[in-house]
CSV table of all heavy atoms in Angstrom, one decimal:
chain,number,residue,atom,x,y,z
S,535,LYS,N,194.6,126.4,102.5
S,535,LYS,CA,194.6,125.3,101.5
S,535,LYS,C,193.2,125.0,101.0
S,535,LYS,O,192.9,124.6,99.9
S,535,LYS,CB,195.3,124.1,102.1
S,535,LYS,CG,196.1,123.4,101.1
S,535,LYS,CD,197.4,123.0,101.4
S,535,LYS,CE,198.2,122.5,100.2
S,535,LYS,NZ,199.5,122.2,100.5
S,559,SER,N,203.0,123.3,90.2
S,559,SER,CA,201.9,122.6,90.9
S,559,SER,C,202.6,121.7,91.9
S,559,SER,O,203.7,121.2,91.8
S,559,SER,CB,201.1,121.8,89.9
S,559,SER,OG,200.2,121.0,90.6
S,560,THR,N,201.8,121.5,93.0
S,560,THR,CA,202.3,120.6,94.1
S,560,THR,C,201.1,119.8,94.5
S,560,THR,O,200.0,120.3,94.4
S,560,THR,CB,202.9,121.5,95.2
S,560,THR,OG1,203.5,120.6,96.2
S,560,THR,CG2,201.9,122.3,95.9
S,561,SER,N,201.4,118.6,95.1
S,561,SER,CA,200.3,117.8,95.5
S,561,SER,C,199.7,118.4,96.8
S,561,SER,O,200.5,118.8,97.7
S,561,SER,CB,200.7,116.4,95.7
S,561,SER,OG,201.8,116.4,96.6
S,568,VAL,N,197.6,121.9,94.1
S,568,VAL,CA,197.7,123.3,94.1
S,568,VAL,C,198.3,123.7,92.7
S,568,VAL,O,199.3,123.2,92.3
S,568,VAL,CB,198.6,123.9,95.2
S,568,VAL,CG1,198.9,125.3,95.0
S,568,VAL,CG2,198.1,123.5,96.5
S,580,TRP,N,210.7,136.2,91.6
S,580,TRP,CA,211.1,134.9,92.2
S,580,TRP,C,212.5,134.5,92.0
S,580,TRP,O,213.3,134.1,92.9
S,580,TRP,CB,210.2,133.8,91.6
S,580,TRP,CG,210.4,132.4,92.1
S,580,TRP,CD1,211.0,132.0,93.3
S,580,TRP,CD2,210.0,131.2,91.4
S,580,TRP,NE1,211.0,130.6,93.3
S,580,TRP,CE2,210.4,130.1,92.2
S,580,TRP,CE3,209.4,130.9,90.2
S,580,TRP,CZ2,210.2,128.8,91.8
S,580,TRP,CZ3,209.2,129.6,89.8
S,580,TRP,CH2,209.6,128.5,90.6
S,603,TYR,N,217.3,119.4,92.3
S,603,TYR,CA,215.9,119.3,92.6
S,603,TYR,C,215.2,118.9,91.3
S,603,TYR,O,215.7,119.2,90.2
S,603,TYR,CB,215.3,120.7,93.0
S,603,TYR,CG,215.7,121.2,94.4
S,603,TYR,CD1,216.6,122.3,94.5
S,603,TYR,CD2,215.2,120.6,95.5
S,603,TYR,CE1,216.9,122.8,95.7
S,603,TYR,CE2,215.6,121.1,96.8
S,603,TYR,CZ,216.5,122.2,96.9
S,603,TYR,OH,216.8,122.7,98.1
S,608,PHE,N,207.2,120.7,90.0
S,608,PHE,CA,207.8,121.0,91.3
S,608,PHE,C,208.6,122.3,91.1
S,608,PHE,O,209.3,122.5,90.1
S,608,PHE,CB,208.6,119.9,91.8
S,608,PHE,CG,209.4,120.1,93.1
S,608,PHE,CD1,208.7,120.5,94.2
S,608,PHE,CD2,210.7,120.0,93.2
S,608,PHE,CE1,209.3,120.8,95.4
S,608,PHE,CE2,211.4,120.2,94.4
S,608,PHE,CZ,210.7,120.6,95.5
S,609,THR,N,208.5,123.2,92.1
S,609,THR,CA,209.2,124.5,91.9
S,609,THR,C,210.7,124.5,92.2
S,609,THR,O,211.4,125.4,91.9
S,609,THR,CB,208.6,125.5,92.9
S,609,THR,OG1,208.7,124.9,94.2
S,609,THR,CG2,207.2,125.9,92.6
S,610,GLY,N,211.2,123.4,92.8
S,610,GLY,CA,212.6,123.4,93.2
S,610,GLY,C,213.6,123.5,92.1
S,610,GLY,O,214.5,124.4,92.1
S,611,GLY,N,213.4,122.7,91.0
S,611,GLY,CA,214.3,122.7,89.9
S,611,GLY,C,214.4,124.1,89.2
S,611,GLY,O,215.4,124.8,89.2
S,614,LEU,N,215.5,127.3,91.5
S,614,LEU,CA,217.0,127.5,91.7
S,614,LEU,C,217.7,127.7,90.4
S,614,LEU,O,218.7,128.4,90.3
S,614,LEU,CB,217.6,126.3,92.5
S,614,LEU,CG,217.6,126.4,94.0
S,614,LEU,CD1,218.3,127.7,94.5
S,614,LEU,CD2,216.2,126.3,94.7
S,650,CYS,N,219.5,120.5,96.3
S,650,CYS,CA,218.6,119.4,96.3
S,650,CYS,C,218.0,119.3,97.7
S,650,CYS,O,218.2,120.1,98.5
S,650,CYS,CB,219.4,118.1,96.0
S,650,CYS,SG,220.7,117.7,97.1
S,651,THR,N,217.1,118.3,97.9
S,651,THR,CA,216.5,118.1,99.2
S,651,THR,C,217.6,117.6,100.1
S,651,THR,O,218.5,116.9,99.7
S,651,THR,CB,215.4,117.1,99.2
S,651,THR,OG1,215.8,115.8,98.7
S,651,THR,CG2,214.2,117.6,98.3
S,652,PRO,N,217.5,117.9,101.4
S,652,PRO,CA,218.5,117.4,102.4
S,652,PRO,C,218.6,115.8,102.4
S,652,PRO,O,219.6,115.3,102.5
S,652,PRO,CB,218.1,117.9,103.7
S,652,PRO,CG,216.8,118.6,103.5
S,652,PRO,CD,216.6,118.8,102.1
S,678,ILE,N,222.5,123.9,99.0
S,678,ILE,CA,221.3,124.7,99.3
S,678,ILE,C,220.2,123.8,99.4
S,678,ILE,O,219.7,123.3,98.3
S,678,ILE,CB,221.1,125.9,98.3
S,678,ILE,CG1,222.4,126.7,98.2
S,678,ILE,CG2,219.9,126.7,98.6
S,678,ILE,CD1,222.3,127.8,97.2
S,679,PHE,N,219.8,123.4,100.6
S,679,PHE,CA,218.9,122.3,100.8
S,679,PHE,C,217.6,122.8,101.5
S,679,PHE,O,217.6,123.5,102.4
S,679,PHE,CB,219.5,121.3,101.7
S,679,PHE,CG,220.9,120.8,101.2
S,679,PHE,CD1,222.0,120.8,102.1
S,679,PHE,CD2,221.1,120.4,99.9
S,679,PHE,CE1,223.2,120.4,101.7
S,679,PHE,CE2,222.3,119.9,99.5
S,679,PHE,CZ,223.4,119.9,100.4
S,680,GLY,N,216.5,122.3,100.9
S,680,GLY,CA,215.2,122.7,101.5
S,680,GLY,C,214.1,121.8,100.9
S,680,GLY,O,214.4,120.7,100.4
S,681,ALA,N,212.9,122.2,101.0
S,681,ALA,CA,211.6,121.6,100.6
S,681,ALA,C,211.1,120.6,101.6
S,681,ALA,O,210.0,120.0,101.4
S,681,ALA,CB,211.8,120.9,99.2
S,682,GLU,N,211.8,120.3,102.6
S,682,GLU,CA,211.4,119.4,103.7
S,682,GLU,C,212.1,119.8,105.0
S,682,GLU,O,213.1,120.4,105.0
S,682,GLU,CB,211.7,117.9,103.3
S,682,GLU,CG,213.1,117.6,103.2
S,682,GLU,CD,213.4,116.2,102.7
S,682,GLU,OE1,212.5,115.5,102.4
S,682,GLU,OE2,214.6,115.9,102.5
S,683,ALA,N,211.5,119.4,106.1
S,683,ALA,CA,212.0,119.7,107.4
S,683,ALA,C,213.3,118.9,107.6
S,683,ALA,O,213.3,117.7,107.2
S,683,ALA,CB,211.0,119.4,108.5
S,684,TRP,N,214.4,119.5,108.1
S,684,TRP,CA,215.6,118.7,108.4
S,684,TRP,C,216.2,119.3,109.7
S,684,TRP,O,216.1,120.5,109.9
S,684,TRP,CB,216.6,118.7,107.2
S,684,TRP,CG,217.0,120.0,106.6
S,684,TRP,CD1,216.1,120.9,106.1
S,684,TRP,CD2,218.3,120.4,106.3
S,684,TRP,NE1,216.9,122.0,105.6
S,684,TRP,CE2,218.2,121.7,105.7
S,684,TRP,CE3,219.6,119.9,106.6
S,684,TRP,CZ2,219.3,122.4,105.3
S,684,TRP,CZ3,220.7,120.6,106.2
S,684,TRP,CH2,220.5,121.9,105.5
S,702,ASP,N,220.1,126.2,104.5
S,702,ASP,CA,218.7,125.9,104.4
S,702,ASP,C,218.0,126.9,103.5
S,702,ASP,O,218.4,128.1,103.4
S,702,ASP,CB,218.1,126.0,105.8
S,702,ASP,CG,216.8,125.2,106.0
S,702,ASP,OD1,216.3,124.8,105.0
S,702,ASP,OD2,216.3,125.1,107.1
S,703,ILE,N,217.0,126.5,102.8
S,703,ILE,CA,216.2,127.4,101.9
S,703,ILE,C,214.7,127.0,102.1
S,703,ILE,O,214.4,125.8,102.1
S,703,ILE,CB,216.6,127.4,100.5
S,703,ILE,CG1,215.8,128.4,99.7
S,703,ILE,CG2,216.6,126.0,99.8
S,703,ILE,CD1,216.5,128.7,98.3
S,704,TYR,N,213.8,128.0,102.2
S,704,TYR,CA,212.4,127.7,102.4
S,704,TYR,C,211.5,128.3,101.4
S,704,TYR,O,211.9,129.4,100.9
S,704,TYR,CB,212.1,128.2,103.8
S,704,TYR,CG,210.6,128.2,104.1
S,704,TYR,CD1,210.0,127.1,104.7
S,704,TYR,CD2,209.8,129.3,103.9
S,704,TYR,CE1,208.6,127.1,105.0
S,704,TYR,CE2,208.4,129.3,104.1
S,704,TYR,CZ,207.9,128.2,104.7
S,704,TYR,OH,206.5,128.2,105.0
S,705,GLY,N,210.5,127.7,101.1
S,705,GLY,CA,209.5,128.3,100.2
S,705,GLY,C,208.3,127.4,100.0
S,705,GLY,O,208.4,126.2,100.4
S,706,LEU,N,207.3,127.8,99.3
S,706,LEU,CA,206.2,127.0,98.9
S,706,LEU,C,205.6,127.5,97.6
S,706,LEU,O,205.7,128.6,97.3
S,706,LEU,CB,205.1,126.8,100.0
S,706,LEU,CG,204.5,128.0,100.7
S,706,LEU,CD1,203.2,127.6,101.4
S,706,LEU,CD2,205.5,128.5,101.8
S,707,THR,N,205.0,126.5,96.9
S,707,THR,CA,204.5,126.8,95.6
S,707,THR,C,203.5,128.0,95.6
S,707,THR,O,203.6,128.8,94.7
S,707,THR,CB,203.7,125.5,95.1
S,707,THR,OG1,204.6,124.4,95.3
S,707,THR,CG2,203.4,125.6,93.6
S,708,GLU,N,202.6,128.0,96.6
S,708,GLU,CA,201.6,129.1,96.6
S,708,GLU,C,202.3,130.5,96.7
S,708,GLU,O,201.7,131.5,96.3
S,708,GLU,CB,200.8,129.0,97.9
S,708,GLU,CG,200.0,127.7,98.0
S,708,GLU,CD,200.7,126.5,98.6
S,708,GLU,OE1,201.9,126.4,98.3
S,708,GLU,OE2,200.1,125.7,99.3
S,709,LEU,N,203.6,130.6,97.2
S,709,LEU,CA,204.2,131.9,97.3
S,709,LEU,C,205.4,132.0,96.3
S,709,LEU,O,206.4,132.6,96.6
S,709,LEU,CB,204.8,132.0,98.7
S,709,LEU,CG,203.7,132.0,99.8
S,709,LEU,CD1,204.4,131.9,101.2
S,709,LEU,CD2,202.9,133.3,99.8
S,710,SER,N,205.3,131.3,95.2
S,710,SER,CA,206.4,131.2,94.1
S,710,SER,C,207.1,129.9,94.2
S,710,SER,O,207.1,129.1,93.2
S,710,SER,CB,207.5,132.3,94.2
S,710,SER,OG,207.0,133.5,94.1
S,711,GLY,N,207.7,129.6,95.3
S,711,GLY,CA,208.5,128.4,95.4
S,711,GLY,C,209.7,128.6,96.3
S,711,GLY,O,209.6,129.5,97.2
S,712,PRO,N,210.9,128.0,96.1
S,712,PRO,CA,212.0,128.2,97.0
S,712,PRO,C,212.4,129.7,97.0
S,712,PRO,O,212.2,130.4,96.0
S,712,PRO,CB,213.1,127.3,96.4
S,712,PRO,CG,212.7,127.1,95.0
S,712,PRO,CD,211.2,127.1,95.0
S,713,GLY,N,213.0,130.2,98.1
S,713,GLY,CA,213.5,131.5,98.1
S,713,GLY,C,212.6,132.5,98.9
S,713,GLY,O,213.0,133.7,99.0
S,714,VAL,N,211.5,132.0,99.5
S,714,VAL,CA,210.8,132.9,100.3
S,714,VAL,C,211.7,133.4,101.5
S,714,VAL,O,211.7,134.5,101.9
S,714,VAL,CB,209.5,132.2,100.9
S,714,VAL,CG1,208.8,133.1,102.0
S,714,VAL,CG2,208.6,132.0,99.7
S,715,ALA,N,212.5,132.4,102.0
S,715,ALA,CA,213.5,132.7,103.0
S,715,ALA,C,214.7,131.8,102.8
S,715,ALA,O,214.7,130.8,102.2
S,715,ALA,CB,212.9,132.4,104.4
S,724,MET,N,216.6,131.5,108.7
S,724,MET,CA,216.5,132.0,107.3
S,724,MET,C,215.9,133.4,107.2
S,724,MET,O,214.8,133.7,107.8
S,724,MET,CB,215.6,131.0,106.6
S,724,MET,CG,216.2,129.6,106.5
S,724,MET,SD,215.2,128.4,105.6
S,724,MET,CE,214.2,127.7,107.0
S,767,TYR,N,198.2,134.1,103.7
S,767,TYR,CA,198.1,132.6,103.4
S,767,TYR,C,198.6,131.8,104.5
S,767,TYR,O,199.8,132.0,105.0
S,767,TYR,CB,198.9,132.3,102.1
S,767,TYR,CG,198.7,130.8,101.8
S,767,TYR,CD1,197.5,130.3,101.5
S,767,TYR,CD2,199.8,130.0,101.8
S,767,TYR,CE1,197.3,129.0,101.2
S,767,TYR,CE2,199.7,128.6,101.5
S,767,TYR,CZ,198.4,128.1,101.2
S,767,TYR,OH,198.2,126.8,101.0
S,769,THR,N,200.3,128.9,106.0
S,769,THR,CA,201.2,127.8,105.4
S,769,THR,C,201.1,126.5,106.1
S,769,THR,O,201.5,125.5,105.6
S,769,THR,CB,202.7,128.3,105.6
S,769,THR,OG1,203.0,128.3,107.0
S,769,THR,CG2,203.0,129.6,104.9
S,770,ARG,N,200.6,126.5,107.4
S,770,ARG,CA,200.6,125.4,108.3
S,770,ARG,C,201.9,124.9,108.8
S,770,ARG,O,202.1,123.9,109.4
S,770,ARG,CB,199.8,124.2,107.6
S,770,ARG,CG,198.4,124.6,107.3
S,770,ARG,CD,197.5,123.5,106.8
S,770,ARG,NE,197.9,123.0,105.5
S,770,ARG,CZ,197.3,122.0,104.9
S,770,ARG,NH1,196.4,121.4,105.5
S,770,ARG,NH2,197.7,121.7,103.7
S,771,ASP,N,203.0,125.7,108.4
S,771,ASP,CA,204.3,125.4,108.9
S,771,ASP,C,204.4,126.1,110.3
S,771,ASP,O,204.0,127.2,110.5
S,771,ASP,CB,205.4,126.0,108.0
S,771,ASP,CG,205.4,125.2,106.7
S,771,ASP,OD1,205.3,124.0,106.7
S,771,ASP,OD2,205.6,125.8,105.6
S,772,ILE,N,205.1,125.3,111.2
S,772,ILE,CA,205.2,125.8,112.6
S,772,ILE,C,206.6,126.3,112.8
S,772,ILE,O,207.6,125.5,112.6
S,772,ILE,CB,204.9,124.6,113.6
S,772,ILE,CG1,203.5,124.1,113.4
S,772,ILE,CG2,205.1,125.0,115.0
S,772,ILE,CD1,202.4,125.0,113.8
S,789,MET,N,213.4,133.4,110.1
S,789,MET,CA,212.5,132.3,110.6
S,789,MET,C,213.4,131.2,111.0
S,789,MET,O,214.4,130.9,110.4
S,789,MET,CB,211.5,131.9,109.6
S,789,MET,CG,212.1,131.4,108.3
S,789,MET,SD,210.7,131.0,107.1
S,789,MET,CE,210.5,129.2,107.5
S,790,ALA,N,213.1,130.5,112.1
S,790,ALA,CA,213.8,129.3,112.6
S,790,ALA,C,213.4,128.2,111.6
S,790,ALA,O,212.5,128.3,110.9
S,790,ALA,CB,213.4,129.0,114.0
S,791,LYS,N,214.2,127.1,111.7
S,791,LYS,CA,213.9,125.9,110.9
S,791,LYS,C,212.4,125.5,111.3
S,791,LYS,O,212.2,125.4,112.5
S,791,LYS,CB,214.8,124.8,111.3
S,791,LYS,CG,216.0,124.7,110.5
S,791,LYS,CD,216.8,123.4,110.9
S,791,LYS,CE,218.0,123.2,110.0
S,791,LYS,NZ,217.7,123.2,108.6
S,792,PRO,N,211.5,125.4,110.3
S,792,PRO,CA,210.2,124.9,110.7
S,792,PRO,C,210.3,123.5,111.3
S,792,PRO,O,211.1,122.7,110.8
S,792,PRO,CB,209.5,124.8,109.3
S,792,PRO,CG,210.3,125.6,108.3
S,792,PRO,CD,211.7,125.6,108.8
S,793,MET,N,209.6,123.3,112.4
S,793,MET,CA,209.8,122.0,113.0
S,793,MET,C,208.8,121.0,112.4
S,793,MET,O,208.9,119.8,112.7
S,793,MET,CB,209.6,122.1,114.5
S,793,MET,CG,208.2,122.5,115.0
S,793,MET,SD,208.2,122.5,116.8
S,793,MET,CE,208.6,120.8,117.2
S,794,GLY,N,208.0,121.4,111.5
S,794,GLY,CA,207.1,120.5,110.8
S,794,GLY,C,205.8,121.3,110.4
S,794,GLY,O,205.8,122.5,110.6
S,795,ARG,N,204.9,120.6,109.9
S,795,ARG,CA,203.6,121.3,109.5
S,795,ARG,C,202.5,120.9,110.5
S,795,ARG,O,202.6,119.8,111.1
S,795,ARG,CB,203.2,120.8,108.1
S,795,ARG,CG,204.2,121.2,107.1
S,795,ARG,CD,203.8,120.5,105.8
S,795,ARG,NE,202.5,121.0,105.3
S,795,ARG,CZ,202.4,121.9,104.3
S,795,ARG,NH1,203.5,122.4,103.8
S,795,ARG,NH2,201.3,122.4,104.0
S,797,ASP,N,199.9,119.8,109.8
S,797,ASP,CA,199.3,118.5,109.3
S,797,ASP,C,200.3,117.3,109.3
S,797,ASP,O,200.0,116.2,109.0
S,797,ASP,CB,198.6,118.6,108.0
S,797,ASP,CG,199.4,119.5,107.0
S,797,ASP,OD1,200.5,119.9,107.3
S,797,ASP,OD2,198.8,119.7,105.9
S,798,ASP,N,201.6,117.6,109.6
S,798,ASP,CA,202.6,116.5,109.8
S,798,ASP,C,202.6,116.1,111.2
S,798,ASP,O,203.1,115.0,111.6
S,798,ASP,CB,204.0,117.1,109.7
S,798,ASP,CG,204.5,117.1,108.3
S,798,ASP,OD1,203.8,116.6,107.4
S,798,ASP,OD2,205.5,117.7,108.0
S,891,LYS,N,211.4,114.8,98.1
S,891,LYS,CA,211.0,114.9,99.5
S,891,LYS,C,210.9,113.5,100.1
S,891,LYS,O,210.2,112.6,99.5
S,891,LYS,CB,209.6,115.6,99.7
S,891,LYS,CG,209.7,117.0,99.2
S,891,LYS,CD,208.3,117.7,99.5
S,891,LYS,CE,208.2,119.0,98.7
S,891,LYS,NZ,207.8,120.1,99.5
M,2185,DLL,O1,209.0,122.6,98.6
M,2185,DLL,C1,209.5,124.7,97.6
M,2185,DLL,C2,210.9,124.5,97.8
M,2185,DLL,C3,211.7,123.8,96.8
M,2185,DLL,C4,211.5,124.9,98.9
M,2185,DLL,C5,213.1,123.7,97.0
M,2185,DLL,C6,212.9,124.8,99.1
M,2185,DLL,C7,213.7,124.2,98.2
M,2185,DLL,P1,206.1,122.8,98.1
M,2185,DLL,O2,206.2,121.5,97.3
M,2185,DLL,O3,204.8,123.6,97.8
M,2185,DLL,O4,207.2,123.8,97.8
M,2185,DLL,O5,206.1,122.5,99.6
M,2185,DLL,C8,206.1,123.5,100.5
M,2185,DLL,O6,207.5,122.3,102.1
M,2185,DLL,O7,205.1,124.5,103.3
M,2185,DLL,C9,207.0,123.3,104.1
M,2185,DLL,O8,206.2,122.5,104.8
M,2185,DLL,C10,208.0,122.4,103.3
M,2185,DLL,N1,209.3,123.1,103.3
M,2185,DLL,C11,209.8,123.8,102.2
M,2185,DLL,N2,211.1,124.3,102.5
M,2185,DLL,C12,211.4,123.8,103.8
M,2185,DLL,C13,212.5,123.9,104.7
M,2185,DLL,C14,208.6,123.6,98.0
M,2185,DLL,N3,213.6,124.6,104.4
M,2185,DLL,C15,206.2,123.0,101.9
M,2185,DLL,N4,212.3,123.4,105.9
M,2185,DLL,C16,206.3,124.0,103.0
M,2185,DLL,C17,211.2,122.7,106.3
M,2185,DLL,C18,210.2,123.1,104.3
M,2185,DLL,N5,210.2,122.6,105.5
Side-chain angles (χ1 to χ4, degrees):
K535 215 132 188 175
S559 174
T560 186
S561 56
V568 172
W580 178 23
Y603 286 112
F608 178 54
T609 53
L614 268 308
C650 60
T651 58
I678 302 177
F679 305 130
E682 60 186 2
W684 54 306
D702 203 350
I703 183 166
Y704 169 88
L706 50 160
T707 312
E708 297 86 322
L709 298 168
S710 296
V714 171
M724 294 178 269
Y767 182 63
T769 64
R770 298 190 288 180
D771 291 320
I772 300 291
M789 58 181 270
K791 267 184 177 306
M793 65 179 301
R795 300 171 64 99
D797 43 4
D798 276 349
K891 299 185 193 231

